[in-house]
Amino acid sequence: FRGEDICDNFLSHLVVALHRKNIETFVDEELTRGDEISPAFLKAIEESKISVKIFSKNYASSKWCLDELVKILKCHKKNGQVVIPVFYNVDPSDVRNQKRSFKDAFVKHDKQFNK
């Protein structure tokens, strides 16, 4: 999730640290709010050996992020892709049990998609 809660600090530092270790990264910088996942990004997910998912407070508010997570989990199941969750300023139990901001986001998604 490239939202304001991670974009300007954590994500950029993580990418720099991975590049220092010669680990190639892919961050879709051209995505605009509301767009579908780009074919290039889907291909990058499919070809990856490892996916790092950064769960932040606002992660679940993004339908795009949730769609991306579904794709990654399909690749994990099909190809054995390693998935590394990173919980950035969020309690892992909030994600697992859909509490706090995660609960709020899923309630909003539920209302939106039930209409």
Side-chain angles (χ1 to χ4, degrees), residues 82-97:
V82 175
V83 180
I84 301 172
V86 175
F87 301 95
Y88 182 74
N89 290 332
V90 66
D91 190 306
S93 68
D94 289 353
V95 177
R96 180 176 49 251
N97 300 317

Side-chain angles (χ1 to χ4, degrees), residues 2 12 15 18 28 36 42 51-52 58 63 75 88:
R2 293 184 295 119
S12 60
V15 168
L18 292 171
D28 191 345
E36 297 294 319
L42 289 174
S51 286
V52 177
N58 295 317
K63 180 187 171 301
C75 290
Y88 182 74

Side-chain angles (χ1 to χ4, degrees), residues 92-108:
S93 68
D94 289 353
V95 177
R96 180 176 49 251
N97 300 317
Q98 294 181 7
K99 297 187 309 188
R100 294 180 182 70
S101 64
F102 284 80
K103 178 182 178 182
D104 296 341
F106 281 107
V107 166
K108 286 180 184 176

